[in-house]
Amino acid sequence: MEMIAIPSRQLFIDGEWREPVLKKRIPVINPATEQIIGDIPAATSEDVELAVMAARRALNRNNGKDWSSASGAVRAKYLRAIAAKITEKKSELAKYEAIDCGKPLDEAAWDMDDVAGCFEYYADIAEGLDAKQKSPVSLPMDTFKCHIVKEPIGVVALITPWNYPLLMATWKVACALAAGCAAVLKPSELASVTCLELGGVCKEVGLPPGVLNILTGLGTEAGAPLASHPDVDKIAFTGSTATGSRIMAAAAQLVKPVTLELGGKSPIVVFDDVDIDQAAEWTAFGCFWTNGQICSATSRLILHENIAAEFLDKLVKWTKNIKISDPLEEGCRLGPVVSEGQYHKVLKFITNAKSEGATILSGGARPEHLKKGFFIEPTIITDVSTSMQIWREEVFGPVLCVKTFTTEEEAIHLANDTQYGLGAAVISKDLERCDRVSKAFQAGIVWVNCSQPCFCQAPWGGNKRSGFGRELGEWGLENYQTVKQVTQYISDEPWGWYKSPSKL
């Protein structure tokens, strides 16, 4: 296996690499080998202050003409340049992603294509913004006319997770920059390498200083002071429900808007009229892709009892065929979970399920051929009741729990039996049934005869404790804009509400 060195970077503030004020750094551990492969800078509140000030200056520079009130076409040029550089560096960025978070190299390469595609998409959106400005509003009085202006919300804090390090950051960064905001990005300390490389890309393409600042570091030392900073106008967060709740509480003190994309415990409902092989592959992909670490993972299989035995037998065969290896090895389809902490957390979920009376049908332990690294076999758990922890709580690892059903009504009830509402999938050849079930799902994203596809043109986000607000598409842009109403009196006649002093 080739040894890849990660670049040694500083924080990216005001268009320059800057050493953290307190000079602290955090080791980077390759989850496949458990070896330290480098380190990243650890920002603290002192660095947050510098980054927020740099973003504010970028927003206001030249009365906003350099960025925030510049033509959308100006911003689009930078977004396209970033996309081109990401494509140029795709191979090295994918390798950094794989050794930093444990994602199979083929997946990481796919992510880089999506990163470039997302920057391109929001370049198109930015170019279309100017034509949409001053959109008229029809009024009931012909003595007035009204139009709408959309403006960037200001300085935005973007706090992102470790499962799709550069892609999740891009969902927020590309959108915020297209809208004309200036941003401070705080990626997860467990996987920040590619986000720091984005700083290098911004420098190469000449992005105006301070438009994007990148602070790596711990949530408590960098994320918390960023979320509570009085000069941040908006927070966009993707991560756990518990952290999202704390961010919302911090924002509430200053009546600051937030968008939250939080946890999930999404269902996949499989009816008895399916092609079993196809449905089994989508079921495996929906839960074991990205090493099972997906907020939208369809990790609760709700399976028609008529095909349960045959389907599970086939599903076990599919999962036994998944290549588990170092992410850089050719054909790898399941790498390690991101960290030692996550490894023990996932194994504890499996142990608890067993002690509560569930059956580990397949997997549930470290693969025998891998003595090092935070690897866990794809795990299928049956004999699950709805009161069990494994049914109710998000695992964030390659663990699928299974319940059977008899009627469509029962399947819908089981699917919606969760505090979360991010994704949901239904697999059936009966498209009218799929339509009924889709309408009944309490989720922000529904997949029919598939699981997990995501396109930057379509809205992404959840209901209930999975958060609120939508990312991606034109809906995502609205997160970073404020709406201004401009109403003009156009009559030559005086208003005439008061008696005129000139006529007294």
Side-chain angles (χ1 to χ4, degrees), residues 35 43 89 124 170 213 274 341 359 365 374-375 382 395 399 418 458:
Q35 291 176 329
K89 297 171 185 283
D124 290 344
T170 297
N213 306 276
V274 299
T359 302
F374 309 126
F375 292 93
T382 56
V395 176
V399 180
T418 171

Side-chain angles (χ1 to χ4, degrees), residues 315-324 361-363 377-378:
L315 183 61
V316 168
K317 290 189 171 85
W318 273 93
T319 57
K320 296 278 187 210
N321 206 35
I322 292 171
K323 180 172 178 177
I324 311 170
L361 180 67
S362 178
E377 294 172 306

Side-chain angles (χ1 to χ4, degrees), residues 416-428:
N416 290 333
D417 177 34
T418 171
Q419 63 182 348
Y420 296 111
L422 186 52
V426 55
I427 302 189
S428 170

Side-chain angles (χ1 to χ4, degrees), residues 121-419:
Y121 172 74
Y122 279 108
D124 290 344
I125 293 275
E127 281 176 340
L129 284 179
D130 298 336
K132 292 180 180 174
Q133 288 291 30
K134 296 195 171 181
S135 59
V137 176
S138 178
L139 300 177
M141 293 175 72
D142 58 10
T143 49
F144 295 93
K145 71 174 184 181
C146 177
H147 69 259
I148 297 302
V149 177
K150 290 190 175 178
E151 298 173 335
I153 202 164
V155 172
V156 294
L158 313 175
I159 302 176
T160 56
W162 43 258
N163 54 341
Y164 290 83
L166 190 53
L167 184 57
M168 294 285 104
T170 297
W171 282 16
K172 291 175 172 38
V173 169
C175 200
L177 268 50
C181 294
V184 181
L185 169 65
K186 181 353 198 133
S188 165
E189 65 274 15
L190 293 177
S192 295
V193 173
T194 50
C195 286
L196 286 171
E197 291 311 289
L198 178 60
V201 166
C202 291
K203 210 166 158 49
E204 283 183 60
V205 304
L207 187 74
V211 166
L212 177 63
N213 306 276
I214 303 166
L215 300 180
T216 52
L218 301 176
T220 49
E221 294 181 358
L226 180 60
S228 60
H229 198 289
D231 211 26
V232 165
D233 299 304
K234 155 93 197 225
I235 306 163
F237 171 77
T238 299
S240 73
T241 299
T243 306
S245 179
R246 286 197 295 275
I247 283 173
M248 201 170 161
Q253 307 307 308
L254 299 165
V255 197
K256 184 178 296 187
V258 294
T259 45
L260 302 174
E261 203 263 83
L262 307 175
K265 191 74 181 176
S266 300
I268 181 165
V269 177
V270 177
F271 284 90
D272 58 355
D273 61 347
V274 299
D275 175 307
I276 286 187
D277 257 322
Q278 277 186 18
E281 185 183 7
W282 277 117
T283 300
F285 184 78
C287 190
F288 304 138
W289 188 42
T290 313
N291 309 336
Q293 300 167 128
I294 326 172
C295 50
S296 59
T298 39
S299 58
R300 290 185 301 134
L301 169 60
I302 298 166
L303 180 60
H304 199 289
E305 63 179 12
N306 289 354
I307 58 165
E310 185 188 355
F311 187 92
L312 289 172
D313 182 58
K314 183 64 64 130
L315 183 61
V316 168
K317 290 189 171 85
W318 273 93
T319 57
K320 296 278 187 210
N321 206 35
I322 292 171
K323 180 172 178 177
I324 311 170
S325 70
D326 187 296
L328 299 179
E329 221 173 272
E330 190 155 349
C332 173
R333 286 295 176 266
L334 191 87
V337 296
V338 74
S339 67
E340 186 177 9
Q342 193 64 16
Y343 173 76
H344 291 302
K345 184 179 157 197
V346 173
L347 289 178
K348 188 157 192 330
F349 267 106
I350 295 167
T351 308
N352 286 355
K354 224 188 297 190
S355 68
E356 286 185 52
T359 302
I360 312 303
L361 180 67
S362 178
R366 166 186 286 283
E368 284 179 17
H369 68 289
L370 293 162
K371 308 299 178 202
K372 271 269 186 222
F374 309 126
F375 292 93
I376 298 169
E377 294 172 306
T379 301
I380 301 168
I381 301 179
T382 56
D383 300 317
V384 171
S385 75
T386 58
S387 61
M388 288 181 185
Q389 181 197 37
I390 199 70
W391 177 264
R392 309 213 72 82
E393 293 183 26
E394 182 177 43
V395 176
F396 228 67
V399 180
L400 178 73
C401 62
V402 186
K403 269 193 80 59
T404 58
F405 72 91
T406 313
T407 66
E408 184 178 313
E409 189 181 29
E410 185 190 359
I412 289 164
H413 174 75
L414 286 168
N416 290 333
D417 177 34
T418 171
Q419 63 182 348

